[in-house]
Amino acid sequence: MEKVKIGVIGLGRLGYKHAENLAFKIPNAELTAVCAMEEDRLEQVKKDWGVPYTYKNFDDMIKNNELDAVLIASPSGLHTDQISKALAAGLHVFSEKPLGTTVEECKEAEKAVEKYQDKVFMLGFMRRYDASYKYAKEKIDSGEIGVPILFRAYSQDPERFIEGAIAYAGHSGGQFIDMSVHDIDLARWYLGAEPEEVYAIGGCYAHPEFAQYKDGDNVSALMKFKNGAMAFLFAGRTAPHGYNVETEIIGTKGILRIGSVPQKNMVEILDNSGVRKECSQDFLERFEESYLNEVNEFINCIIEKRKPGVTVYDGTKTTEIAYKCKEAFESGELTKI
């Protein structure tokens, strides 16, 4: 089988991991090109991985006739434009979230995807490709917990990464956009409905720097869905113990919990501090297999000429809802969605 030749834009922490997976862990893919502003990163992957082409300009990379697809892991504000350009160049596109930094940008991305329907487009909601989250979805769909009535999600970054979060705060769109979109996507997926009302609160409890961006270091939202179900979201920047993603779905006949203890592995440490388990320290560690699985699915969709389960419209809906959460947080009022 001929391999899908793909180019990657962005070699930050996540873009580098995607590129590494494509180079070494996805049999039906070939990392043919990389694009980034960092000259040293480009030289490294060219030398160490044998990548044939390196670029500092995205427009130059998508002119490469050898490419079949691109993976977009660039800064969020560039996603919509790069999605449109890549599709117009005849390439299949995988884009990291968010689809766009505004709802208007998301709508532009929708138009591009609709115009080039012969191409595969996929958005990076990787939690859907995590083994535990997929298993929970199967349990819900089979009726094992009855009717889902409450979705609860915690997403917390470690305090030790706070300086980077503060530096990025002016471009992130706020915590609901930057962090909660994955939880919003899961809530829609698990509850099988769209939210209609949201109330959000929070504040700058440890780091007042976020206030200038009308954001907080810890925020929460309560949503009512059109089918009567409820969702509670919490996003925090100050977890002392590590990277903590916890999810619970309460049904009329049972409860599912995923990652209720953010353990690094199955090892227990017994020492003079007592008995303890170590925690995952960042998103790459916790969702390493999910990132691999989602891009593998993208490549298989291209080869098998089918479309993935995550669509461009999922990207728009999560962005719309996240902005309504932000609006409710800023106003302190119950907000219609």
Side-chain angles (χ1 to χ4, degrees), residues 107-122:
K107 294 293 184 181
E108 288 302 312
E110 284 185 5
K111 291 177 184 177
V113 172
E114 290 166 354
K115 184 176 181 180
Y116 301 100
Q117 293 190 29
D118 59 320
K119 299 302 173 187
V120 173
F121 173 79
M122 184 171 172

Side-chain angles (χ1 to χ4, degrees), residues 72 79 83 93-100 106 109 120-126 128-129 182 185 294 298 308-319:
I72 297 171
H79 289 186
I83 289 167
V93 177
F94 179 100
S95 176
E96 267 304 329
K97 65 87 180 170
L99 179 64
C106 292
V120 173
F121 173 79
M122 184 171 172
L123 194 62
F125 284 136
M126 81 294 183
R128 294 198 191 194
Y129 297 91
H182 289 294
D185 178 63
E294 66 176 356
F298 173 64
V310 181
T311 72
V312 67
Y313 306 107
D314 291 313
T316 301
K317 288 301 297 184
T318 54
T319 301

Side-chain angles (χ1 to χ4, degrees), residues 192-205:
E194 301 294 347
E196 62 180 4
E197 291 179 334
V198 60
Y199 177 67
I201 57 175
C204 299
Y205 301 100

Side-chain angles (χ1 to χ4, degrees), residues 90-256:
L91 300 169
H92 304 285
V93 177
F94 179 100
S95 176
E96 267 304 329
K97 65 87 180 170
L99 179 64
T101 55
T102 66
V103 174
E104 291 73 24
E105 286 183 358
C106 292
K107 294 293 184 181
E108 288 302 312
E110 284 185 5
K111 291 177 184 177
V113 172
E114 290 166 354
K115 184 176 181 180
Y116 301 100
Q117 293 190 29
D118 59 320
K119 299 302 173 187
V120 173
F121 173 79
M122 184 171 172
L123 194 62
F125 284 136
M126 81 294 183
R127 292 189 195 175
R128 294 198 191 194
Y129 297 91
D130 174 83
S132 297
Y133 282 101
K134 286 177 65 178
Y135 187 71
K137 174 65 171 171
E138 291 166 5
K139 291 288 187 184
I140 293 169
D141 289 347
S142 67
E144 290 198 34
I145 66 166
V147 178
I149 58 174
L150 173 67
F151 172 90
R152 176 182 64 83
Y154 296 165
S155 289
Q156 300 179 76
D157 279 346
E159 166 72 28
R160 65 190 183 90
F161 292 144
I162 195 65
E163 292 303 323
I166 293 170
Y168 182 61
H171 309 284
S172 72
Q175 280 208 74
F176 291 112
I177 302 293
D178 187 37
M179 293 184 69
S180 294
V181 287
H182 289 294
D183 295 318
I184 292 169
D185 178 63
L186 287 175
R188 296 175 60 242
W189 195 43
Y190 285 145
L191 298 177
E194 301 294 347
E196 62 180 4
E197 291 179 334
V198 60
Y199 177 67
I201 57 175
C204 299
Y205 301 100
H207 301 282
E209 297 92 334
F210 289 100
Q212 63 184 305
Y213 305 111
K214 297 182 178 180
D215 198 12
D217 51 32
N218 288 271
V219 299
S220 64
L222 178 64
M223 292 189 283
K224 177 184 176 182
F225 277 64
K226 292 180 180 178
N227 62 358
M230 303 168 282
F232 175 76
L233 312 177
F234 172 73
R237 301 283 194 191
T238 58
H241 54 289
Y243 180 69
N244 191 160
V245 171
E246 178 182 346
T247 307
E248 180 178 52
I249 308 98
I250 297 177
T252 54
K253 295 180 180 179
I255 297 171
L256 300 172

Side-chain angles (χ1 to χ4, degrees), residues 21-86:
N21 285 341
L22 286 162
F24 301 109
K25 295 184 179 180
I26 300 178
N28 292 329
E30 180 181 315
L31 181 61
T32 304
V34 291
C35 179
M37 296 300 295
E38 301 86 0
E39 191 70 47
D40 56 338
R41 281 282 207 179
L42 293 175
E43 287 301 316
Q44 177 204 339
V45 297
K46 185 173 184 177
K47 177 184 176 182
D48 296 347
W49 299 354
V51 179
Y53 302 101
T54 59
Y55 300 90
K56 295 188 75 173
N57 184 286
F58 179 76
D59 292 348
D60 291 337
M61 184 175 76
I62 61 175
K63 292 176 185 175
N64 187 327
N65 292 327
E66 292 186 31
L67 293 181
D68 302 305
V70 294
L71 187 151
I72 297 171
S74 54
S76 300
L78 302 176
H79 289 186
T80 301
D81 183 57
Q82 291 175 347
I83 289 167
S84 298
K85 286 180 175 179

